[in-house]
Amino acid sequence: MSTISPMHTVTVRDRARNIEHTFQVPEDRYILHTAENNGKELPFSCRNGACTTCAVRVLSGEIYQPEAIGLSPELRQKGYALLCVSYARSDLVVETQDEDEVYELQFGRFFAKGKVRAGLPLDED
Ligand code: FES
């Protein structure tokens, strides 16, 4: 016998594109995956909680993200979450980050993507 999961209303404010998405998410489904099934385009890359491209800040509601290995405990406590591995535990309002915001908060601006090439001298033109 199958049980039906509770549904929650999730609103994602996409700051880069200045649009807002609202959709229903079953409690046992990833938010990003459900958004895609509803035709919503949100930022993502790895889909497994490692890269932070899908990171959002939670403005209200409760989110559950036990597999968000790419996010430090400090940033989780500050209300950041990775939508590709997050479940809604209540109605939620979240907003997308600025480009690389979470990555830079975690690793510092010096290590931001594209600025360091491990082991190779930088090109001098
Ligand atoms: S898409 Fe990479 S952490 Fe979510």
Side-chain angles (χ1 to χ4, degrees):
M1 199 173 90
S2 66
T3 54
I4 296 175
S5 294
M7 299 288 278
H8 300 295
T9 302
V10 175
T11 299
V12 181
R13 294 187 187 151
D14 186 334
R15 284 163 59 191
R17 292 192 291 168
N18 202 23
I19 47 177
E20 193 169 284
H21 304 287
T22 299
F23 47 97
Q24 297 289 309
V25 182
E27 196 164 278
D28 62 349
R29 294 295 160 93
Y30 290 139
I31 296 169
L32 178 70
H33 193 240
T34 306
E36 290 173 326
N37 285 346
N38 283 277
K40 314 293 185 189
E41 281 184 32
L42 295 173
F44 71 90
S45 181
C46 72
R47 289 178 181 279
N48 62 16
C51 74
T52 73
T53 303
C54 68
V56 295
R57 215 159 57 84
V58 179
L59 301 180
S60 69
E62 195 183 333
I63 211 164
Y64 180 58
Q65 50 176 344
E67 300 139 79
I69 52 172
L71 206 54
S72 68
E74 291 78 19
L75 287 180
R76 289 187 206 194
Q77 286 216 317
K78 284 184 179 164
Y80 287 96
L82 302 177
L83 284 191
C84 69
V85 290
S86 283
Y87 303 98
R89 284 293 181 262
S90 70
D91 289 352
L92 276 173
V93 180
V94 303
E95 68 176 10
T96 58
Q97 54 166 340
D98 290 332
E99 192 182 358
D100 288 346
E101 176 182 332
V102 167
Y103 190 92
E104 290 183 3
L105 281 172
Q106 263 190 149
F107 303 111
R109 221 157 256 280
F110 182 72
F111 291 106
K113 292 171 192 166
K115 300 201 175 89
V116 169
R117 292 170 35 195
L120 294 174
L122 295 174
D123 288 335
E124 285 179 29
D125 295 319

